[in-house]
Amino acid sequence: MDETGTAQPAAPVSAVRVPNTRRRALRVALQRVVFGLLSILGAITIVFLLSHASGDPAKLMSPPGAPPGQVAAIRAQLGLDDPLWQQYLTFIGHVFTGNLGHSYYYGDSVTSVITSHVGPTIYLALVAMAYAVGVGVPLGLVAAFKSNSFVDRLLVGLSMLGQAVPSFWLGPVAILVAAVQLHWLPASGNATLSSVVLPAITLGTLQLAVIFRITRAAALEALSQDFVRLARAKGMTDRRLARCHVLPNSLLPVMTVGGLALASLIGGSVIVEVIFAWPGLGTTLMSAVSQRDFPVVQGIALVYAISFVVLNTLIDVLYAVADPRLRGVER
Amino acid sequence: MTGLPHKLSVIVRSGLAAVLVVGVAAACTTSSKGPKTGGATTLRVGLSTEPTQLDPDQLKSGNDSFFTRNVFDLLYNRDPDGKLVPGIATAYKVSPDGKTYTFTLRKGVKFSDGTPVTAEDVAFSFKRYADPKLNTVFSFNLAALTDAKVVNSDTVELDFKQPVGDFVAEGGYASIVPEKYIKQHGDAYFAKHPIGTGPYKFVSFNPNQGFTLERNNNYWGTKTAYDRVDFKYIADPSTRVAALQSGQVDVIDQVPPQDVATLRGNSSITVKTQIAGDMVYTFINTLDRGKPWDDVRVRQAMAYAIDQKTILKTVLGGFGVLNVGVSPIEPGYDKVDFQQYPYDPAKAKELLAAAGYPKGFSLDFWGPANGRTPNSEQYIEAIAGYWKAVGIKANVHIVEYPEYVKKQGPTANVNGAIFGIWGGGYFDPQFRTEGNLKCHSAYSVTCDPKLDQMIDKLEATIGETARENVYIPLYKYVLDQALMIYGYCDEETFAMSKKVSWQPYKGQSYTIMTNAAPAGA
């Protein structure tokens, strides 16, 4: 995550009027959409080419001893004996009509494989996000207000640890402690409400650390502003200061990072989902890749690409909402 | 400042508050672990892999058997000890030419919906298995089937275009399915709502989560002790072990070797191993004429150089049975009176020198990355290490499984050796022998006319003892010629709560739960 590029100080000066704002905004929006579509096309093209170069699903599906004729029949049935460029054009053409093809293994369309697994992934990402923001932002404010104290150093140290610990380690350790030793929470699946706790913590900890650091940096920035110093000098309480001045002025960078965080929580949950047997897109993608179930791999890659692009665009829009200066209009 | 950021912060704060409340509530909810619901007993099984679809005639992989072997019957089944026992058929006759089988059907068998099984259902089941439209990946098993005829209400005749000596040993391959039900509802409906004659009946299936079965009260055999079995898909091995330790499931399959000791030390858990039937060995590409390994002495040297016993112990935790081609689940295994080449590096060097390679040679050695079969990488590296000690330099190529599959067979032209694996579930060696050793077969890198004659003879021989008398000498020949270097037949490790009594089935890595019962019941 790029901290410096996004953490623009939000100086509370009155907005500058930009001429032709609306037309410019429209052009920017159009540009965004075109670039977004191009990125999605690029992503699914790469996934298509890489997966098709990586193995023959027909041969993989055939058990040892299957005669070559049968392997060829499976290949034909799966539509894999057409030239690659033709398969690609068919695939892209189908995507534009909303048809993602049929899974080689599950007797279902890719669309229904995705719709039946996307829910748990989004749910997990949202809970992890809530955990990261809900813990990261308050802690960031605390650290900023108590900068250079023991608490601050401890929190900064912990955040570095949080950023360094990989989920494939944190997950199993969380399972060992909370499920095996203490019997507090289930180790896997999503059968009960409490099942989400361990995967969400495992998934969200990295983003928590990032959001904590961004909030702390932005809050420190805000605290050094003259008007904040004045408010402090006038005897405003820390709590009120945080709510009325520091938090609003720290929101922009937190939002940018938060939006990207949500995108990476959706796309980055593969390992966590596999560790916790969470029945989302990540586990589905894992088994689809190992079976070379191309249509499913491509479909899920498409979902990830779209969610990334859409979230990025949304952040840009939210910017304008949250920062009056970017709206160009002072109400 | 405008009011908007304030509003936002309010939204953010209330959102956070809501989330925290939910979070706390979630954390405070205790997981419901009781296997009992309303007095009914439920068995929960954690699986390393899962079926992808449920129709026994549209099989996409062996994993589908985790479902089908609990819900469907064959003409002949295997008991937990691997013994052939009558299933839907109670007796059979074979014509002298080995091409016609006549089966007497068990009386009073019903599908789980209560419909009686007819001879028409059985004949239909065989035709459906071989139906190219459904295209089960195993359809080649019945490629020789020409007709399935109803003789009378309890007799069915199956005709083949050539003798099929291994047909009954494999149970007849085809699961018995309901003709009327399928014709009425269609193949697609059947695949989502299957009914069979097996000990359990289908309740639900959620891809990537697992499936649920219930006792089939119309089952012709001993009814199952559990009312319900929940199969949960938990791919990650450590999580699967943790789910057992934390009481979230009662039984797991594929215990990682490194966790076996811990689980054995746990007083509430039992660990059981069972021969699974996967065979592991090393192919030497003898189609590669003029290479050092074209010489039988060099191949023998390659076998003498390897300490298979130590590899089995150190690399595979001892979970396997060394063999020379006849698998421990196959009849006749006890009668095999020859063994693998003993570990004798001096003898290996002597043979290499005699063949004109006192300084050794180099070759390629291909194999799959870990995942398909336990520690295949380490197994390959260990063999390469032993070869190096006698001067044979193996360039090891560990590739992902799909890539490895491409390296097999006569057309891949591998320069040297390939790791070999054959999935379990077969109780007669014919199919594996054809696939691995017959000229031009899918996996064969051997073309030996004398061996081909013996394989032809095996295909035409009927009767268990008569067949043993063909394939045991056949594997003696393979050993003498060192056409393949045999390794081990793997053992599958299961772990279960002491509250459960269950005997895994010999030769099947699938969790067949027919004989599972609450302990002490």
Side-chain angles (χ1 to χ4, degrees):
Chain A
M1 220 66 39
D2 178 22
E3 292 185 26
T4 49
T6 51
Q8 296 292 331
V13 289
S14 64
V16 183
R17 216 170 214 295
V18 182
N20 292 328
T21 322
R22 191 161 290 179
R23 211 194 293 159
R24 213 194 74 184
L26 212 74
R27 209 179 58 222
V28 170
L30 204 69
Q31 241 172 21
R32 286 259 154 219
V33 171
V34 171
F35 279 134
L37 285 177
L38 280 179
S39 334
I40 292 171
L41 184 69
I44 58 175
T45 303
I46 290 170
V47 169
F48 178 90
L49 292 176
L50 281 183
S51 56
H52 279 256
S54 70
D56 178 356
K59 200 157 184 190
L60 202 60
M61 191 182 280
S62 306
Q70 188 190 314
V71 180
I74 292 176
R75 199 174 288 133
Q77 195 189 31
L78 301 180
L80 289 165
D81 51 356
D82 294 333
L84 196 61
W85 62 268
Q86 200 176 325
Q87 291 181 49
Y88 176 71
L89 289 184
T90 316
F91 165 61
I92 295 293
H94 282 166
V95 166
F96 277 104
T97 58
N99 171 9
L100 296 177
H102 253 78
S103 162
Y104 297 161
Y105 283 82
Y106 305 107
D108 269 322
S109 71
V110 173
T111 321
S112 86
V113 170
I114 289 175
T115 46
S116 62
H117 291 108
V118 74
T121 293
I122 291 181
Y123 172 57
L124 176 60
L126 287 179
V127 176
M129 185 70 194
Y131 156 70
V133 173
V135 179
V137 169
L139 287 186
L141 290 176
V142 167
F145 274 91
K146 312 220 178 240
S147 69
N148 285 324
S149 69
F150 170 74
V151 174
D152 179 36
R153 285 192 195 136
L154 180 73
L155 288 174
V156 170
L158 282 176
S159 81
M160 281 161 106
L161 200 67
Q163 270 183 298
V165 166
S167 54
F168 57 80
W169 181 84
L170 189 59
V173 169
I175 290 175
L176 277 182
V177 175
V180 176
Q181 298 297 329
L182 301 171
H183 288 251
W184 281 355
L185 295 162
S188 73
N190 71 340
T192 57
L193 196 60
S194 56
S195 303
V196 76
V197 175
L198 289 184
I201 288 175
T202 306
L203 182 61
T205 295
L206 168 68
Q207 303 304 339
L208 188 159
V210 172
I211 285 174
F212 163 81
R213 292 168 70 87
I214 292 295
T215 310
R216 181 178 171 276
L220 278 178
E221 189 86 51
L223 280 171
S224 68
Q225 302 284 336
D226 288 343
F227 77 100
V228 176
R229 298 225 300 262
L230 177 68
R232 247 185 168 168
K234 280 165 64 187
M236 192 185 256
T237 60
D238 273 2
R239 193 174 287 256
R240 195 166 143 73
L241 195 67
R243 204 178 62 224
C244 300
H245 292 304
V246 179
L247 188 61
N249 279 293
S250 320
L251 262 183
L252 267 194
V254 172
M255 258 168 48
T256 316
V257 172
L260 290 173
L262 187 59
S264 54
L265 286 176
I266 292 173
S269 62
V270 178
I271 291 172
V272 176
E273 284 189 18
V274 171
I275 290 174
F276 289 96
W278 188 260
L281 285 184
T283 40
T284 313
L285 179 63
M286 266 301 276
S287 45
V289 166
S290 63
Q291 291 169 326
R292 298 297 185 270
D293 194 343
F294 294 159
V296 174
V297 174
Q298 288 155 6
I300 294 177
L302 183 68
V303 171
Y304 285 158
I306 290 175
S307 66
F308 239 96
V309 169
V310 167
L311 279 169
N312 261 326
T313 315
L314 271 183
I315 296 162
D316 287 346
V317 175
L318 272 179
Y319 256 15
V321 178
D323 189 344
R325 287 162 300 164
L326 291 181
R327 265 178 292 153
V329 184
E330 181 67 273
R331 267 182 243 171
Chain B
M1 287 310 301
T2 65
L4 205 61
H6 285 284
K7 269 185 218 150
L8 260 188
S9 77
V10 168
I11 293 167
V12 168
R13 269 185 292 128
S14 52
L16 291 183
V19 159
L20 286 177
V21 169
V22 171
V24 170
C28 297
T29 318
T30 47
S31 59
S32 63
K33 327 196 155 93
K36 290 190 175 208
T37 39
T41 48
T42 300
L43 177 67
R44 298 154 309 165
V45 184
L47 294 184
S48 56
T49 178
E50 61 157 4
T52 54
Q53 64 84 44
L54 311 176
D55 186 339
D57 298 323
Q58 299 192 51
L59 297 177
K60 291 286 180 281
S61 78
N63 296 339
D64 294 347
S65 304
F66 278 95
F67 176 79
T68 58
R69 291 278 63 82
N70 280 301
V71 172
F72 295 96
D73 276 311
L74 304 172
L75 290 180
Y76 277 78
N77 295 327
R78 293 275 169 180
D79 72 5
D81 297 323
K83 218 177 104 219
L84 193 69
V85 290
I88 297 303
T90 50
Y92 72 96
K93 277 193 301 231
V94 195
S95 66
D97 65 359
K99 294 184 191 174
T100 304
Y101 282 73
T102 313
F103 289 91
T104 308
L105 305 180
R106 186 183 294 276
K107 288 192 170 68
V109 180
K110 288 175 179 168
F111 288 107
S112 55
D113 67 348
T115 328
V117 174
T118 63
E120 282 78 9
D121 287 318
V122 175
F124 170 77
S125 301
F126 278 88
K127 289 180 187 155
R128 190 168 187 265
Y129 187 97
D131 184 353
K133 185 168 61 79
L134 293 174
N135 210 357
T136 170
V137 291
F138 295 95
S139 63
F140 58 87
N141 283 330
L142 287 181
L145 182 76
T146 53
D147 202 4
K149 289 186 274 207
V150 174
V151 177
N152 58 44
S153 66
D154 57 3
T155 314
V156 169
E157 182 189 301
L158 301 173
D159 300 320
F160 297 89
K161 57 183 169 221
Q162 71 218 31
V164 280
D166 58 349
F167 179 66
V168 174
E170 308 301 1
Y173 297 108
S175 295
I176 305 308
V177 295
E179 179 180 21
K180 275 192 192 135
Y181 180 89
I182 293 173
K183 287 195 166 153
Q184 188 186 336
H185 297 286
D187 292 319
Y189 182 87
F190 180 68
K192 302 246 173 192
H193 308 87
I195 57 171
T197 60
Y200 290 101
K201 64 177 179 186
F202 168 70
V203 175
S204 66
F205 171 49
N206 296 304
N208 260 311
Q209 293 185 58
F211 58 99
T212 300
L213 306 178
E214 259 173 26
R215 178 194 300 121
N216 173 9
N217 286 319
N218 288 309
Y219 183 47
W220 54 269
T222 314
K223 309 262 193 298
T224 61
Y226 282 103
D227 298 312
R228 218 176 149 87
V229 188
D230 269 344
F231 293 88
K232 300 173 189 226
Y233 173 44
I234 309 174
D236 187 79
S238 329
T239 311
R240 205 159 54 244
V241 170
L244 177 70
Q245 288 171 318
S246 63
Q248 215 189 340
V249 295
D250 307 307
V251 179
I252 58 169
D253 73 339
Q254 300 238 353
V255 179
Q258 66 270 23
D259 288 326
V260 168
T262 320
L263 290 180
R264 283 211 166 115
N266 186 326
S267 60
S268 58
I269 287 172
T270 316
V271 176
K272 284 189 184 174
T273 58
Q274 178 60 281
I275 295 169
D278 278 9
M279 296 276 277
V280 170
Y281 33 76
T282 306
F283 287 104
I284 302 171
N285 187 1
T286 53
L287 300 174
D288 218 2
R289 300 289 183 212
K291 295 284 170 62
W293 49 92
D294 202 11
D295 187 321
V296 63
R297 289 169 296 184
V298 171
R299 295 196 300 269
Q300 288 168 342
M302 290 166 81
Y304 273 119
I306 306 168
D307 186 352
Q308 298 273 7
K309 217 177 270 177
T310 301
I311 297 183
L312 180 65
K313 205 163 79 191
T314 54
V315 172
L316 298 145
F319 294 112
V321 179
L322 297 179
N323 65 81
V324 279
V326 178
S327 134
I329 66 169
E330 287 157 1
Y333 173 74
D334 300 337
K335 298 177 196 163
V336 175
D337 56 359
F338 43 93
Q339 286 168 353
Q340 294 185 347
Y341 290 91
Y343 173 52
D344 191 344
K347 176 91 178 164
K349 281 184 183 158
E350 198 180 294
L351 281 164
L352 284 175
Y357 303 98
K359 287 186 182 154
F361 56 88
S362 68
L363 81 171
D364 288 330
F365 190 3
W366 292 84
N370 287 348
R372 169 64 179 79
T373 186
N375 295 341
S376 50
E377 289 176 32
Q378 289 77 359
Y379 182 79
I380 292 161
E381 294 289 357
I383 288 181
Y386 280 114
W387 280 347
K388 199 176 171 201
V390 298
I392 302 170
K393 190 183 173 302
N395 304 307
V396 174
H397 306 277
I398 303 287
V399 290
E400 235 204 307
Y401 189 75
E403 189 62 28
Y404 154 76
V405 171
K406 283 201 240 167
K407 287 288 163 194
Q408 292 184 318
T411 52
N413 293 320
V414 163
N415 176 44
I418 326 156
F419 176 88
I421 173 157
W422 195 275
Y426 289 92
F427 291 84
D428 184 288
Q430 177 179 321
F431 180 40
R432 189 183 69 247
T433 311
E434 289 167 338
N436 280 341
L437 289 163
K438 210 174 178 181
C439 241
H440 311 303
S441 263
Y443 293 80
S444 167
V445 283
T446 300
C447 197
D448 183 316
K450 192 170 167 210
L451 184 61
D452 272 13
Q453 272 177 13
M454 295 165 100
I455 297 174
D456 289 343
K457 192 172 162 203
L458 176 62
E459 288 162 355
T461 304
I462 306 293
E464 203 171 281
T465 318
R467 292 176 66 75
E468 290 166 13
N469 290 336
V470 180
Y471 61 71
I472 294 174
L474 183 155
Y475 275 101
K476 176 82 171 78
Y477 178 77
V478 173
L479 179 78
D480 289 342
Q481 294 294 311
L483 291 169
M484 289 170 74
I485 302 174
Y486 278 91
Y488 66 95
C489 178
D490 85 329
E491 285 178 308
E492 166 90 85
T493 319
F494 302 89
M496 63 204 83
S497 151
K498 284 245 162 81
K499 290 178 193 151
V500 177
S501 137
W502 175 60
Q503 173 63 48
Y505 280 62
K506 189 174 181 178
Q508 321 218 24
S509 47
Y510 320 119
T511 47
I512 301 175
M513 284 299 163
T514 312
N515 63 18

